[in-house]
Structures are given as structure tokens and as C-alpha cells.
């Protein structure tokens, strides 16, 4: 292992990266709190400021993937569509098979300049999570409780609020609702059999209600719907811990543009049928990728932008100096209690870092696909 690779794998480096992310994130959350005074005065200014503040947080995660890990991302798409990316509002349908697929989605947004304004449909619990969850609150992210009877009115209102958004945005949606596991897949396919729906080999059954409402509410706002399918070469199973250790992956992302005006949005049953057909096509693309290692489109590598790295370096220079100064003062003090307190903080920080990584791990993921699908079978 070379010296750079060795350093990337060291826990002290991981701790410093997480220190920068946590402290800068909390500072930005605090600044976002003060932007609330702008909402009744100038809503659009509030939104523009929070897009840039949010970028300062999310771009640090993308920096890990692009610059720290050095992960490559090859985009397979139609050249005519490529030139429109980032220049129009769009709904992006993502598959949900990997621990870092959310990070690859953010990377896709970053390459085309819409990371700060990107939107998602997220579970309500995430809104209480410091840094990212609080950041999303100020970005007017659509949160739901995963109980459609309670969610529908709130989701519709939140989506309609985006109709006058001043920045180009991509609305990222995982229609499967939860990350793919073999157990969830087996349960999902039993539901498909019971309901006479087409079975899928590489995906869970899509949740159609949220997608239908999203299309209905944003139909006059978005210019396109992008269907994207993510895979990693050599059957790699990337993890956030691997990225943090500096392990390099190679992602292949297939993106095709769907003409959104052709989606039957007026009747939910018709929209549901359309989405199930789309996922059958996604399954076929997965099958072809596993067989040939490529997608049926022109490969291109969108250039990395320097802003994620520059943003991280800014926060690193701002926050590491006072940390090291504090550490030197504590050592010079010679106080056993002070050093013990510092060691205790390090231990707490280590546990916190491991917890944050664990949130993304598949084996510790949501049981939503297990429990909810079982209830549907009853």
C-alpha cells in the first residue's frame, strides 16, 4: 500500500474528516436558522441562500467520493439529453441497491450544478437528524411518515410549494421506498404474485402512489423525467466505510430521458401500470449489464468540478487550526483530568462516527420493506 493509501485508511484521518463535517454542518445549520427571518420578507432570497448553505454540507460528502476515494463515474446516456442536464427541472428515478447509491445520486447532481437545490422524498425521522436532516428542512424537502393516508395532504402541499422555486432542481425519488435486500425482494415478489403484478429480478416493487402524486404536482414545473440505473463494475459492493478508507470504485450510471407529458398522470391506476412497466425495463437493463458489463448508450465521463474540494479545504483550514491549538494547550497543561476528558471526547466522537456510517449500512437499514409488504399480504 502506498503512503497516501495508508493515510486514508487511518482512523485519525477519518476522525478529522468527521470533525470538519460535524462542526461545519452545525455552524451552517445555525446560520440557516437565522435565514428564517427572510422568509416573510423575501422568500426567493431565503431559498437561494439556503441552496448555497446546503451545498456547503452535501458537497463534503461528494468530495469524499470524488476526491478522497477517487471513485470514477461513467455516465451512459443520449448525447442530446446530456447537454440539457442541469439546465432544467427534472424528476430523477433512482434504483436503490447499494449503500452509497444516495451519494452517487448527489454526485450526479454535482456534476451538473444542481446539488445545492436537489430535492428528495424522505422519511419523517430524517428531519430530526442534525446537519443533513436540518439542512433538508430549510431546503423544503418533502418528508413523509410512510403512512399514505396521513402523508398525502402534506406531500401534495410540499410539492406544490416547489412550483415557484427560483433555482433549477432535480427531484430524486427511490420508488422502491427502501433499499434492496434478498429478504425484502422475496417478500416483495410474493406481493407481486398475490396481486398479479409483473415480477422483478433485480428490484423491489415500486411504490406507485408517491410517484403518481409527484408527477401530478410537478408536471407543469419539470421539463423531463430521468430514469437512472446504477451499477458498479466487477460486482463491487461499495460502502460508505470503504469510501472513507479511500477505496476506489467505478460506478456506471445509465440515464435515459422519459418524455414526462406521455406519463398518464390523471388516473393513478394508469400511472401505476406505467411505472411497473418502467421497472420491467430497468430489470432488463440490469440483466444486460450483468451479462455484458455495459449499457445501451454512449459512455461519457462528466468532468469533476473543483468546488467540492475547495469548499472542504476552506472548512478544514477554518476548523483544524483551533482544534490543534486546543490540543497543544491541553498537552502543555499537563493536567491528567484534562487529558482524560479529551480522551473521553475522542471515544464519544468515535462512537458517533461509527453510528453515522452505520445508518447507511444495508444490514442495519430500514425494515419498511419487510413489515409493510407483510401487512399487504394479510
Amino acid at each position: 500500500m502506498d503512503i497516501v493509501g495508508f493515510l486514508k485508511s487511518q482512523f485519525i484521518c477519518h476522525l478529522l474528516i468527521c470533525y470538519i463535517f460535524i462542526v461545519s454542518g452545525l455552524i451552517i445549520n445555525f446560520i440557516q436558522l437565522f435565514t428564517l427571518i427572510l422568509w416573510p420578507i423575501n422568500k426567493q432570497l431565503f431559498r437561494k441562500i439556503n441552496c448555497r448553505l446546503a451545498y456547503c454540507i452535501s458537497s463534503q460528502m461528494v468530495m469524499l467520493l470524488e476526491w478522497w476515494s477517487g471513485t470514477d463515474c461513467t455516465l451512459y446516456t443520449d448525447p442530446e439529453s446530456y447537454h440539457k442536464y442541469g439546465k432544467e427541472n427534472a424528476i430523477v428515478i433512482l434504483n436503490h441497491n447499494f449503500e452509497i447509491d444516495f451519494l452517487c445520486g448527489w454526485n450526479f447532481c454535482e456534476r451538473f450544478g444542481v446539488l445545492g437545490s436537489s430535492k428528495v422524498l424522505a422519511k419523517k425521522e430524517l428531519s430530526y437528524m442534525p446537519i443533513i436532516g436540518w439542512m433538508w428542512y430549510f431546503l423544503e424537502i418533502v418528508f413523509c411518515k410512510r403512512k399514505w393516508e396521513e402523508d398525502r395532504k402534506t406531500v401534495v402541499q410540499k410539492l406544490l410549494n416547489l412550483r415557484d422555486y427560483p433555482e433549477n432542481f432535480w427531484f430524486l425519488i427511490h420508488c422502491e421506498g427502501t433499499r434492496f435486500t434478498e429478504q425484502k425482494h422475496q417478500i416483495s415478489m410474493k406481493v407481486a404474485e398475490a396481486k398479479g403484478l409483473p415480477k422483478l429480478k433485480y428490484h423491489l416493487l415500486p411504490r406507485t402512489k408517491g410517484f403518481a402524486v409527484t408527477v401530478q404536482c410537478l408536471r407543469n414545473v419539470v421539463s423531463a423525467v430521468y430514469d437512472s440505473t446504477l451499477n458498479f463494475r466487477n460486482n463491487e459492493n461499495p460502502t460508505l466505510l470503504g469510501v472513507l478508507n479511500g477505496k476506489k470504485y467505478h460506478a456506471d450510471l445509465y440515464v435515459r430521458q422519459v418524455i414526462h407529458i406521455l406519463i398518464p398522470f390523471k388516473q393513478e391506476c394508469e400511472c401505476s401500470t406505467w411505472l411497473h412497466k418502467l421497472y420491467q425495463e430497468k430489470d432488463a437493463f440490469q440483466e444486460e449489464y450483468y451479462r455484458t458489463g455495459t449499457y445501451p448508450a454512449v459512455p461519457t465521463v462528466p468532468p469533476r468540478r473543483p468546488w467540492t474540494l475547495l469548499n472542504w479545504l476552506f472548512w478544514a483550514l477554518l476548523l483544524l487550526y483551533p482544534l490543534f491549538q486546543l490540543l497543544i494547550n491541553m498537552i502543555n497543561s499537563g493536567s491528567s483530568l484534562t487529558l482524560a476528558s479529551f480522551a473521553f471526547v475522542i471515544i464519544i466522537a468515535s462512537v458517533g462516527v461509527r453510528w453515522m456510517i452505520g445508518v447507511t449500512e444495508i444490514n442495519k437499514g430500514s425494515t419498511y420493506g419487510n413489515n409493510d409488504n407483510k401487512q399487504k399480504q394479510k
Side-chain angles (χ1 to χ4, degrees):
M1 179 184 294
D2 59 73
I3 186 65
V4 174
F6 174 76
L7 289 174
K8 287 181 177 180
S9 67
Q10 298 307 296
F11 179 72
I12 186 64
C13 291
H14 304 167
L15 203 58
L16 290 175
I17 288 172
C18 291
Y19 159 77
I20 294 168
F21 178 75
I22 292 172
V23 176
S24 65
L26 292 175
I27 291 173
I28 292 166
N29 285 162
F30 186 69
I31 296 172
Q32 287 181 304
L33 185 64
F34 282 94
T35 65
L36 286 174
I37 62 175
L38 291 174
W39 181 266
I41 303 171
N42 191 330
K43 182 173 69 171
Q44 303 298 48
L45 178 61
F46 166 89
R47 287 169 157 175
K48 290 180 179 181
I49 290 174
N50 275 284
C51 282
R52 282 139 188 87
L53 291 173
Y55 182 84
C56 291
I57 295 177
S58 54
S59 67
Q60 292 188 50
M61 299 288 290
V62 176
M63 186 283 298
L64 284 179
L65 188 73
E66 290 187 331
W67 298 93
W68 182 261
S69 166
T71 292
D72 293 323
C73 184
T74 300
L75 181 65
Y76 293 78
T77 192
D78 174 22
E80 292 185 7
S81 299
Y82 180 87
H83 297 293
K84 299 178 182 178
Y85 294 159
K87 299 175 182 178
E88 57 187 6
N89 295 335
I91 297 171
V92 183
I93 303 171
L94 302 158
N95 59 328
H96 210 3
N97 296 56
F98 304 98
E99 290 184 7
I100 65 166
D101 49 19
F102 77 97
L103 198 50
C104 291
W106 279 4
N107 179 56
F108 182 34
C109 292
E110 161 57 22
R111 296 293 173 100
F112 296 99
V114 291
L115 176 60
S117 58
S118 63
K119 312 297 178 188
V120 294
L121 183 64
K123 57 184 179 182
K124 181 66 175 178
E125 293 84 350
L126 291 176
S127 66
Y128 306 117
M129 182 181 291
I131 303 176
I132 291 180
W134 295 350
M135 170 193 80
W136 278 350
Y137 172 81
F138 290 97
L139 273 183
E140 301 170 71
I141 292 300
V142 182
F143 293 106
C144 60
K145 299 178 182 177
R146 290 177 165 178
K147 296 179 181 178
W148 190 243
E149 295 75 17
E150 300 178 21
D151 285 332
R152 185 180 182 90
K153 184 177 179 180
T154 302
V155 169
V156 168
Q157 185 58 54
K158 291 288 187 180
L159 289 169
L160 292 177
N161 288 342
L162 298 178
R163 290 182 299 181
D164 63 342
Y165 209 77
E167 304 275 334
N168 288 334
F169 68 87
W170 286 355
F171 193 93
L172 312 179
I173 183 168
H174 294 282
C175 293
E176 294 161 271
T178 186
R179 190 179 283 120
F180 183 99
T181 66
E182 286 300 330
Q183 181 185 9
K184 292 176 183 178
H185 181 253
Q186 291 175 10
I187 296 171
S188 184
M189 291 308 99
K190 288 179 180 178
V191 173
E193 184 176 2
K195 293 189 172 185
L197 296 172
K199 289 188 176 182
L200 303 172
K201 189 174 181 180
Y202 304 106
H203 299 85
L204 306 178
L205 283 179
R207 306 286 172 137
T208 59
K209 292 180 179 178
F211 175 76
V213 167
T214 301
V215 172
Q216 289 169 3
C217 294
L218 298 182
R219 185 171 183 269
N220 295 325
V221 179
V222 301
S223 301
V225 174
Y226 303 142
D227 172 41
S228 63
T229 304
L230 174 70
N231 270 301
F232 288 86
R233 295 184 186 178
N234 305 316
N235 292 318
E236 292 174 322
N237 188 19
T239 64
L240 185 57
L241 185 59
V243 171
L244 199 57
N245 280 320
K247 184 175 180 180
K248 183 175 182 177
Y249 301 104
H250 196 127
D252 286 328
L253 183 66
Y254 176 48
V255 180
R256 55 177 180 151
Q257 182 171 341
V258 179
I259 302 176
H260 72 293
I261 59 175
L262 299 181
I263 300 175
F265 68 95
K266 293 184 178 180
Q267 296 295 327
E268 188 176 301
C269 60
E270 294 180 358
C271 189
S272 174
T273 301
W274 182 91
L275 188 61
H276 282 295
K277 182 180 179 182
L278 181 78
Y279 268 76
Q280 287 179 280
E281 295 172 357
K282 289 173 75 70
D283 238 34
F285 294 138
Q286 287 278 52
E287 186 76 46
E288 180 174 350
Y289 183 86
Y290 288 138
R291 182 174 56 84
T292 66
T294 188
Y295 287 116
V298 178
T300 184
V301 179
R304 283 189 300 187
R305 306 194 318 157
W307 310 120
T308 56
L309 181 60
L310 292 175
N311 172 71
W312 186 84
L313 289 174
F314 166 79
W315 288 107
L317 292 172
L318 183 67
L319 298 175
L320 287 180
Y321 175 77
L323 175 67
F324 290 142
Q325 191 67 44
L326 175 63
L327 180 58
I328 291 171
N329 292 338
M330 292 176 67
I331 293 174
N332 290 337
S333 73
S335 169
S336 299
L337 178 60
T338 300
L339 294 175
S341 300
F342 181 75
F344 178 74
V345 170
I346 291 295
I347 293 172
I348 295 298
S350 302
V351 173
V353 169
R354 191 63 191 87
W355 175 79
M356 290 178 68
I357 294 173
V359 170
T360 70
E361 293 178 349
I362 289 178
N363 61 352
K364 296 181 181 179
S366 168
T367 59
Y368 173 58
N370 297 337
N371 299 334
D372 194 51
N373 277 329
K374 285 179 180 179
Q375 292 173 1
K376 285 185 177 181
Q377 295 181 74
K378 293 181 180 180

